[in-house]
Amino acid sequence: MIRPKQTLFLVGLVLSGSFLTLLFLRTNVEYGFFRPLGVHLGESEEEPRPSPRYKPTPSYTPPPIQDPFPALATAAPPPIPTYNVAGKDVWRKYGLEVPPPLIIGFTRSWPMLLQAVVSYITAGWPAEQIYVVENTGMQQANARGQLTLQHPWYLNHTSLKRLGVNVIQTPVLLSFAQLQNFYLSLSYAHNWPYYFWSHMDVLALSHENGFEGLTPRGGEPGYKSLYTLCLEELNRTMTIDERWGTRFFAYDHLTLQNPRALEDIGGWDTLIPYYMTDCDTYTRLHMRNWTQKDSNCGVVTDTSVALDDLLALYRDPSVTPDFRDPNPPPPPPSEGGEPKIKARSDAAAPNDPVEYWKRLLEVSNRMFHYKHGDRGRNTWQSGQRGGQGEPFYYDSAGFSEALEVLTEAGKEVFRRKWGHGNCDLIVGGGLKFEDQWKVLKDWEN
């Protein structure tokens, strides 16, 4: 039972607490602790919102990209040149444990990816041994067909399945270094003791006109396709070199990778996400005495443009091989209309597949020189400017600018990690594998 004195004490305590609470609110409301939400959002007449300064509207917008393989939307692809068709399970002939997978990563520019995939297939690589890794960050939007062709991260799962290749999706958007470690994780999941990987901005051709010391002409006895030469190199490498790390075909545009070598060096350094991460990884492999050699399996061309019609790779005589830029430069001020990309060939395509190959080789050479001209190597990545309002849309120009920031940050990480400013770490820096993050900056000595 509560006594009268206790009652008075409790009432006084409650009143004192209420008074102190009101005093606190009155004292601190001017400091913003208990302001209404609308005040913080700039809805008060006393505090008008500032006006953002917007970037100027671009004076030039590239034309919409074109699908380089429209026939694939309604029909299966035509047959490849017969001399490039691989025999069933031919990889067993070379003493290999599993059929060699070819991994091709994709983030942006559908025409470029489709060209790379089709070129490897028509050069002899069995479609079922090709794995396209969708690294777009679009979650299930592409798999559900929710994106349109002009969306920068558009990828057509149906078309790839019609070609017969495998599609694997990353759970989130990965940097280049993270993607390489994802490839390594696939080797565990699929029990791959080796794998090939390729950039997506390439055009691959076999040596169909013959190559001295490697293969006779296509159709002649003893001819070897790009795929066959890769099988030979893999067999030879695993037979004679116990400590092989990589084999490069046109630098790392096409690469044969030993997962054990990557394990030994701790994988790719994901804190160096883009440029200089290849230098870091390949140098660490060298420091740990894993061999890295160049080999020749065909013509793997570094390109920034796509063929007008990928039926050219199937040697369709009704198609004259030529290319278009998915992100052409603006026309000179004195000209109007569509930008002039290049002079085009009007010569009719030959019926003989090897003669047709010669035309493709000439076009691929022009593609290479076009990419390595005065525009920059990666302009192709920004060709698609649409997709606004579609799932997971992200501003294309903003994405490119953000990548530049991350790239520069990665270069600085590389410099601090090795205390050296360029890729010449061993001869120019005198560095060893154990020196990572242990040395002072040599340019400050």
Side-chain angles (χ1 to χ4, degrees), residues 4 28 44 51 65 69 78 105 110 147 162 181 213 218 228 287 302 334 370 377 384 399 405 418:
N28 292 286
S44 170
S51 299
I65 66 163
F69 203 171
W110 166 248
L147 306 186
R162 188 166 281 150
N181 285 342
T228 302
M287 289 172 169
D302 182 29
S334 60
Y370 184 84
R377 297 184 65 253
Q384 290 150 290
F399 185 82
V405 174
W418 293 106

Side-chain angles (χ1 to χ4, degrees), residues 162-174:
R162 188 166 281 150
L163 287 170
V165 303
N166 307 278
V167 181
I168 297 175
Q169 296 170 274
T170 59
V172 296
L173 177 65
L174 304 177

Side-chain angles (χ1 to χ4, degrees), residues 87-98:
K88 181 176 174 56
D89 294 337
V90 66
W91 52 272
R92 296 183 185 276
K93 171 184 172 183
Y94 296 89
L96 302 177
E97 298 179 48
V98 297

Side-chain angles (χ1 to χ4, degrees), residues 101-273:
L102 170 59
I103 306 173
I104 306 175
F106 169 79
T107 298
R108 289 189 290 175
S109 190
W110 166 248
M112 299 292 291
L113 171 73
L114 192 56
Q115 173 174 258
V117 171
V118 170
S119 70
Y120 277 113
I121 291 174
T122 54
W125 210 292
E128 67 274 13
Q129 296 173 25
I130 296 177
Y131 294 76
V132 171
V133 175
E134 184 197 342
N135 177 45
T136 62
M138 297 293 104
Q139 299 296 326
Q140 295 302 309
N142 276 315
R144 294 170 180 165
Q146 294 175 308
L147 306 186
T148 58
L149 179 61
Q150 302 308 319
H151 194 294
W153 292 273
Y154 167 86
L155 179 142
N156 193 315
H157 282 241
T158 301
S159 292
L160 292 177
K161 290 176 182 177
R162 188 166 281 150
L163 287 170
V165 303
N166 307 278
V167 181
I168 297 175
Q169 296 170 274
T170 59
V172 296
L173 177 65
L174 304 177
S175 71
F176 180 78
Q178 290 171 327
L179 188 62
Q180 290 294 329
N181 285 342
F182 182 75
Y183 296 168
L184 179 61
S185 75
L186 292 178
S187 74
Y188 303 141
H190 295 272
N191 294 315
W192 294 334
Y194 41 75
Y195 58 88
F196 290 83
W197 67 269
S198 173
H199 289 272
M200 57 165 284
D201 52 335
V202 301
L203 176 69
L205 299 171
S206 292
H207 287 306
E208 296 181 25
N209 197 39
F211 196 97
E212 185 177 358
L214 285 178
T215 177
R217 196 173 189 265
E220 295 181 358
Y223 167 77
K224 300 171 184 176
S225 69
L226 178 147
Y227 176 68
T228 302
L229 289 174
C230 282
L231 293 178
E232 283 193 352
E233 179 59 40
L234 176 54
N235 170 267
R236 178 168 49 250
T237 295
M238 297 187 68
T239 300
I240 67 175
D241 190 351
E242 294 183 355
R243 202 163 177 82
W244 70 276
T246 62
R247 291 297 181 265
F248 295 132
F249 307 86
Y251 185 50
D252 67 358
H253 297 117
L254 173 62
T255 302
L256 170 60
Q257 181 67 64
N258 183 353
R260 292 189 302 113
L262 281 182
E263 284 185 350
D264 183 59
I265 66 168
W268 290 66
D269 189 337
T270 56
L271 297 179
I272 309 174

Side-chain angles (χ1 to χ4, degrees), residues 16-35:
S16 299
S18 300
F19 174 77
L20 290 174
T21 300
L22 291 172
L23 182 62
F24 175 79
L25 290 172
R26 178 170 180 173
T27 303
N28 292 286
V29 70
E30 60 185 277
Y31 295 105
F33 293 127
F34 297 96
R35 290 186 184 183

